[in-house]
Amino acid sequence: MKVELTEKEWDLIESIRNYHKSYPNGKEELEWYIEVVLNELMERD
């Protein structure tokens, strides 16, 4: 399956993949970043 992703979408996927790797150092910052990017993507129309 081929899918075209925007840079923001790819960034969100990579951040989610790295989320568990960041525990306990950086977990809170990465969690905040994931929420910000997700909100930006959901607002876009």
Side-chain angles (χ1 to χ4, degrees), residues 7-38:
E7 188 174 331
K8 280 278 189 198
E9 291 167 336
W10 180 251
D11 193 30
L12 177 63
I13 291 168
E14 286 297 307
S15 297
I16 292 170
R17 288 179 177 167
N18 291 323
Y19 177 73
H20 288 290
K21 294 177 189 175
S22 69
Y23 183 83
N25 298 329
K27 182 178 183 268
E28 291 181 13
E29 291 85 6
L30 195 51
E31 194 172 283
W32 171 83
Y33 183 73
I34 289 169
E35 287 181 25
V36 169
V37 174
L38 182 58

